Every structure is written in C-alpha cells, then in structure tokens.
Amino acid sequence: MGVITGSTRLLGVIGHPIEHSLSPLMHNAALQAMAQGQGAWTSLESSQSILSHVYLPLAVAPTHLKVAVDGLAALGWVGFNITIPHKQTIVPLLSEVTPLAKAVGAVNTVWRTAQGWTGTNTDVQGFLAPLLTQNRDWSGVEATILGSGGAARAVIVGCAKLGCANIRVIGRDRTKLTQLQASFAGAAVPMAIPIKTSTWDRLSHHLPSTELLVNTTPLGLSPHSENTPLTDEQIQQLPPTALVYDLIYTPDPTRLMQQAQAWGLDSLSGLEMLIQQGAAALEIWLQDPPPVAVMRQAAQAFLR
Ligand code: NAP
C-alpha cells in the first residue's frame, strides 16, 4: 500500500452518479506502481512508498458543479476527469478548451494552469489507440457508427483523424442526426468533418461497404447483454475484412462481438478505449507516461 503524506497531490473524477466509475481503480493502481517504481520508502519495515498523487471519486450534483470546481481550485487540485452528466456543462467553467475538445463538444479531462482550468478530451485518443495497433491503414475506408450521442462524437473525430473516406452515423432520430451533421460542418467549427447520416432502416444498405463498424449505442450493455444492434444476417453483410468495434466493455465480449467472431470478423471491445483515455489523462497531469499494463490489469481483474 502507498502512503499519503502532506505532499501527496490530488486528482479525481467528478460525476453523478460516480459509484460505477472504474477510473479510481485504474488510476490509483498506476499511481501506486509509479510510487513503488520511484523507490521512495517511508520505512524499510513497512516497505510502503509515498504516493505523489491520489485519485478520488467525487459525486457532484449538476446544481453544485460550479461550487465544486471552484472548490477544487481553492484546494489546489492538480486536475480531474469529468463524466456524465457534466461533460458539456463543465465547458463554461473553464478558462481554456482545446480545439479537440471543442470539435468533440465535450471535455473529459481538466488540469490547472496559472489562468484557471484547461479542458481537453482524451476519448478520441482512447478510441484510436487499439485501432492504431492493428497494423492496418484506415485511411480511405468507410466507417459506420451506430448511435449519435456523446461517445459517437468522439468516434467521429477519431475516424476523421484516421482519414476514413466515408463516416456515416446511424441514428433513430432524424432531427438529432441533422443537428449532429450541422455541428461538424461550416467554417466556425474547429474541425470541419463531412459526415453522412442514415436511419436504422437504411443500415443494411451500407454494411457491404463498411470496413469499420463502431457501436456507440448501449445495446448489449450489461445487464441486457442479450441485446445487439445487428442481426446475424446483417453481420454477414459486412466484408470479411471488416472490424467490429463495440465501445461497451461489460460484458467483454458483447453479443455483437460474438456475432462478429462467429462470422470470422475481427472485433474490439471498449475496454482498451477506457484504459487508454485514462492513461492519456494521467500523462497530462503527471507529465510522465503511466504504466498502462498496470491500469489494464487492474481493470480486467475488477471486471472478471
Ligand atoms: P448517449 O449520449 O446516451 O448516446 C447513446 C446513443 O445510443 C444515442 O444516439 C441513442 O439514440 C442511441 N440509442 C440508445 N438506445 C438505443 C436503442 N435501443 N436503439 C438504437 N439506438 C439507441 O451515450 P454515450 O455517452 O454516447 O455512451 C454510449 C455507449 O458507449 C455506452 O454504452 C457507454 O458505456 C459506451 N462508452 C464507452 C466508452 C469507453 O471508454 N469504452 C466511452 C464512452 C461511452 P437517441 O439519441 O435516439 O436516444
């Protein structure tokens, strides 16, 4: 176990609710390993290392967000993650937002500067990390994204960064799809991304040309793990080289991933995205790469 001293600095995650968050587990495992790696022993008998940072879960109701964020500044916190429902509402409370977070339209990582709080979004980096280890050129491929909510926005920016030729979002609400499309178009946006949109009844039409299929809906999320966004017949419409990427990580594999595997397709779960977005945040705060393997091991052990 690590030891908290007067010099231990504070990190955390703000959400409401926050009990489900895996971030405290992953981050504290990494901080512990980093402290041990630095060999700062408090006593030879206890073999305990001094923690330079700890990471705490903070349940903050929407009405208390501003006072909480002001309080963290007064208390000298280094930074924090932001999760549902605060990813958009945090923005006016920040002195600076990175162009990437502006493009996504949401902030998940905040750090303190002399001017105040700066926010960015590490979900894009998290989404991209497992794709970039695939030894495959994603530029020019067609990506189909199921769902049009918050996670879909990070996936759209990620697909644009990969250079995907066609980025199509499948949603159930035409008005929301039109608004989403508009929010990525025009000169005023930090990153103009031409996306196409379709409703679910048109999905089968697009599957034969889809090389990257990303599920950003909660269909298949535990405890409703019998659910899946695609029928077996639809899975079989995908080309044999297609990759099926489910952002859900409980269960792992999801029913969608099992369908893909049964048809001989490659698949990815959302666990690596979760780990890598966390690792990217930790690197911002510590200015040092964290032990990603330790974070992965902690998350996998907990989920098992
Ligand atoms: P969100 O903002 O609520 O968006 C969910 C999207 O799914 C919406 O477009 C919604 O459509 C659609 N949807 C919901 N139920 C549906 C159904 N029965 N049929 C068709 N579409 C449906 O949620 P989010 O924050 O984007 O998160 C979505 C999923 O991604 C969650 O399962 C979450 O756990 C996962 N996620 C994973 C990571 C990771 O690190 N791996 C990160 C973020 C999110 P409407 O707009 O029409 O309601």
Side-chain angles (χ1 to χ4, degrees):
M1 270 299 291
V3 171
I4 295 173
T5 70
S7 61
T8 301
R9 305 181 74 198
L10 299 173
L11 299 166
V13 53
I14 297 181
H16 198 259
I18 202 62
E19 293 81 0
H20 67 283
S21 175
L22 282 182
S23 297
L25 181 98
M26 287 194 307
H27 288 303
N28 285 316
L31 292 167
Q32 179 91 35
M34 289 171 97
Q36 281 166 355
Q38 282 154 12
W41 308 108
T42 55
S43 89
L44 288 174
E45 282 160 66
S46 61
S47 292
Q48 289 178 319
S49 44
I50 296 171
L51 291 167
S52 66
H53 297 77
V54 287
Y55 185 99
L56 303 174
L58 302 174
V60 176
T63 47
H64 294 145
L65 184 62
K66 184 176 178 343
V67 73
V69 170
D70 288 347
L72 296 183
L75 294 167
W77 279 47
V78 176
F80 53 89
N81 283 128
I82 283 283
T83 188
I84 293 168
H86 305 308
K87 282 184 165 191
Q88 284 94 32
T89 47
I90 186 78
V91 171
L93 306 179
L94 305 175
S95 55
E96 199 181 335
V97 175
T98 62
L100 184 72
K102 280 185 191 155
V104 175
V107 162
N108 78 334
T109 302
V110 172
W111 66 96
R112 203 154 47 91
T113 65
Q115 287 70 44
W117 295 114
T118 298
T120 193
N121 190 304
T122 64
D123 282 336
V124 178
Q125 197 174 330
F127 166 72
L128 289 175
L131 289 172
L132 297 175
T133 60
Q134 292 276 317
N135 195 22
R136 186 167 166 178
D137 182 7
W138 295 101
S139 63
V141 309
E142 186 159 323
T144 300
I145 300 165
L146 309 174
S148 56
R153 294 191 64 94
V155 171
I156 290 168
V157 175
C159 288
K161 283 187 166 283
L162 287 175
C164 295
N166 268 320
I167 303 172
R168 183 178 302 276
V169 178
I170 307 289
R172 47 186 186 181
D173 183 328
R174 276 185 199 282
T175 312
K176 277 190 193 172
L177 288 173
T178 307
Q179 285 168 352
L180 182 78
Q181 201 165 25
S183 73
F184 282 108
V189 298
M191 209 184 287
I193 304 173
I195 60 167
K196 296 178 177 167
T197 59
S198 292
T199 43
W200 285 86
D201 54 307
R202 297 283 299 155
L203 174 60
S204 287
H205 183 75
H206 303 297
L207 291 174
S209 54
T210 296
E211 285 291 337
L212 176 61
L213 180 87
V214 189
N215 177 37
T216 77
T217 77
L219 285 166
L221 181 64
S222 180
H224 303 291
S225 43
E226 72 286 358
N227 287 344
T228 174
L230 261 64
T231 62
D232 286 342
E233 292 69 33
Q234 285 177 316
I235 280 284
Q236 293 171 18
Q237 287 181 276
L238 287 163
T241 47
L243 175 87
V244 174
Y245 190 166
D246 200 337
L247 260 48
I248 293 171
Y249 52 86
T250 48
D252 187 356
T254 59
R255 170 124 187 261
L256 176 66
M257 290 173 66
Q258 288 172 345
Q259 288 172 291
Q261 287 160 11
W263 190 239
L265 304 180
D266 286 338
S267 65
L268 283 172
S269 89
L271 186 60
E272 195 60 20
M273 172 174 172
L274 177 83
I275 294 161
Q276 296 285 350
Q277 62 77 30
L282 216 41
E283 185 160 357
I284 289 171
W285 298 319
L286 307 182
Q287 293 292 295
D288 212 3
V292 179
V294 171
M295 299 174 79
R296 188 179 297 116
Q297 198 180 15
Q300 282 172 339
F302 182 81
L303 291 172
R304 264 199 302 273

